[in-house]
Amino acid sequence: MNLNTFRIRILDRYIIRKFIGTFFVALLLIIVIVIIFDISEKIDDFVDKEAPLRAIVMDYYVNFIPYFMNMFSPLFVFITVIFFTSKLAGNSEIIAMLSGGVSFGRLMYPYFLSALFIASMSLCLNLFIIPSANERRIAFEEQYIKGQKYYNTNRNIHYQIAPGEYVYVESFSTWNNTAYKFTLESMKDSRLVSKLTAESAAWDSTTGGWQLKNYTLRDYSTAQQRITFGARTDTVISLTLDDFYRRENTVETLTYKELDELISVQRMRGDSMVKYSLIEKHTRFAVPFSAFILTLIGVSLSSKKRRGGIGLNLGVGIALSFSYILFLRFSQMFVITDTLPPWLAMWLPNILYAVIAAVLYRIAPK
């Protein structure tokens, strides 16, 4: 393999500069437009809830921008490639490059370097910046836009908190952080060892445990059952207040390490919310990788000079990029309905569009 093939040359720098420059210009323009529309839509909420200007800017919009950038990065990449490649083709620059001895495959090299930069940026946003940004953004939305505190409406909650330990709660009140009709069962070798029941279990932030009221403890470890009861007792178990406040979008606020730990705990407990954690985990890698696939599709579609300018190419590009985003969102339903494994469902759009990219690359004018 000739290493000179991968050396960045003047032509490569020209394409990279065009790609990255157009990408950030398009990104900036669309972000400004989206923020203007968002302000016009939420201005009444900001005024009614008396949201401070600093909180609106620093807690909401500063944290909204990376979230929006990452969510629609496939759209920005595709439109960017279609736009400036169509201009190159319209000015006969693509023809000049191919006539000068540059193969179509070698022409893709600076495109893929640019896609690598954008994919790396998206991945860094996903893993290191967006989780903490989402935490502040969601907190702002709950306080100043939704205007109400989150409360857990789930009933008959079951958790396996450790091997052989099971918790049952009939209901949980977020107003006083109290679980009602609390039951803790301990099993060993498929046999019930003990059963602790209480009318209520209130969270004690000082001890990091639960304060049980009107409890009854039945011990089955010996041949003769022993029963202990009382008005109040404290217990510390592998169940915290966060477990009752966790909801679908909570996973968006977790770092990758925290997300992995949560998935392990949820799998051990048999928690149905693990689906949303797995969707978030695989989406964080699938979306950045799409930059390579959509770049290849964009170049293959727009490298040919067409009559009428870039209008047709741009229209096709926008349609395909929106269909990709829609398919990515729709594929989440395959996970929620247990139709496909989470990793396959979230990578299915990339697999399908990779096939489309391969076909378009094969028939692209060389």
Side-chain angles (χ1 to χ4, degrees), residues 46-61:
F46 296 156
V47 174
D48 292 342
K49 306 296 189 308
E50 298 180 352
L53 179 61
R54 177 179 175 81
I56 294 173
V57 176
M58 301 304 297
D59 294 340
Y60 184 62
Y61 283 110

Side-chain angles (χ1 to χ4, degrees), residues 83-122:
F83 180 77
F84 91 85
T85 306
S86 295
K87 288 191 68 176
L88 292 179
N91 295 331
S92 300
E93 292 180 72
I94 298 291
I95 296 175
M97 295 174 191
L98 297 177
S99 300
V102 178
S103 67
F104 195 77
R106 180 58 179 81
L107 183 64
M108 292 300 306
Y109 180 59
Y111 281 94
F112 278 134
L113 286 180
S114 304
L116 177 62
F117 171 79
I118 294 172
S120 301
M121 182 184 68
S122 178

Side-chain angles (χ1 to χ4, degrees), residues 87-361:
K87 288 191 68 176
L88 292 179
N91 295 331
S92 300
E93 292 180 72
I94 298 291
I95 296 175
M97 295 174 191
L98 297 177
S99 300
V102 178
S103 67
F104 195 77
R106 180 58 179 81
L107 183 64
M108 292 300 306
Y109 180 59
Y111 281 94
F112 278 134
L113 286 180
S114 304
L116 177 62
F117 171 79
I118 294 172
S120 301
M121 182 184 68
S122 178
L123 187 61
C124 288
L125 286 173
N126 271 334
L127 299 181
F128 305 111
I129 297 176
I130 289 179
S132 59
N134 279 342
E135 186 174 6
R136 293 188 290 271
R137 178 182 60 83
I138 292 172
F140 178 92
E141 288 176 347
E142 290 182 349
Q143 183 175 358
Y144 295 111
I145 298 176
K146 297 178 182 178
Q148 60 181 8
K149 181 182 177 182
Y150 168 79
Y151 59 94
N152 192 325
T153 58
N154 295 332
R155 298 185 65 84
N156 300 323
I157 303 168
H158 296 263
Y159 282 136
Q160 179 181 352
I161 59 173
E165 290 191 2
Y166 303 87
V167 165
Y168 165 77
V169 173
E170 184 178 282
S171 62
F172 180 81
S173 172
T174 52
W175 299 105
N176 54 6
N177 294 331
T178 301
Y180 294 96
K181 299 298 182 182
F182 175 90
T183 300
L184 173 62
E185 294 181 345
S186 296
M187 307 284 292
K188 186 176 182 181
D189 298 328
S190 302
R191 186 173 66 88
L192 184 62
V193 176
S194 66
K195 183 175 183 178
L196 175 63
T197 60
E199 285 187 6
S200 64
W203 175 253
D204 188 349
S205 58
T206 57
T207 62
W210 299 91
Q211 189 177 84
L212 308 184
K213 293 182 180 179
N214 298 328
Y215 72 93
T216 301
L217 175 62
R218 290 178 170 83
D219 187 353
Y220 303 100
S221 59
T222 58
Q224 187 175 1
Q225 179 187 158
R226 290 181 297 178
I227 301 177
T228 306
F229 56 88
R232 180 172 297 180
T233 188
D234 295 328
T235 183
V236 177
I237 56 178
S238 299
L239 185 72
T240 67
L241 198 62
D242 292 339
D243 293 308
F244 292 100
Y245 279 87
R246 189 170 292 118
R247 46 211 188 273
E248 294 176 12
N249 62 355
T250 300
V251 295
E252 298 176 6
T253 67
L254 302 178
T255 63
Y256 189 74
K257 182 179 179 181
E258 292 171 338
L259 189 59
D260 259 350
E261 292 173 352
L262 175 62
I263 290 171
S264 299
V265 171
Q266 288 177 325
R267 279 176 167 164
M268 183 266 295
R269 292 178 176 177
D271 191 345
S272 60
M273 296 286 283
V274 71
K275 297 176 183 178
Y276 299 100
S277 302
L278 291 169
I279 288 173
E280 178 68 18
K281 177 180 178 179
H282 292 292
T283 300
R284 291 187 183 186
F285 289 94
V287 171
F289 186 80
S290 68
F292 297 101
I293 299 171
L294 297 179
T295 295
L296 181 58
I297 294 176
V299 176
S300 301
L301 279 175
S302 56
S303 58
K304 182 179 179 181
K305 186 175 182 179
R306 301 179 186 275
R307 290 183 178 180
I310 66 174
L312 179 61
N313 289 340
L314 201 56
V316 172
I318 292 174
L320 279 174
S321 55
F322 270 115
S323 67
Y324 173 84
I325 295 173
L326 181 63
F327 191 15
L328 187 65
R329 297 288 176 247
F330 182 76
S331 63
Q332 296 180 7
M333 298 304 299
F334 295 138
V335 183
I336 296 172
T337 58
D338 293 321
T339 305
L340 292 174
W343 68 268
L344 178 58
M346 302 319 299
W347 281 89
L348 188 60
N350 282 346
I351 295 172
L352 176 61
Y353 278 74
V355 174
I356 295 174
V359 173
L360 291 176
Y361 175 78

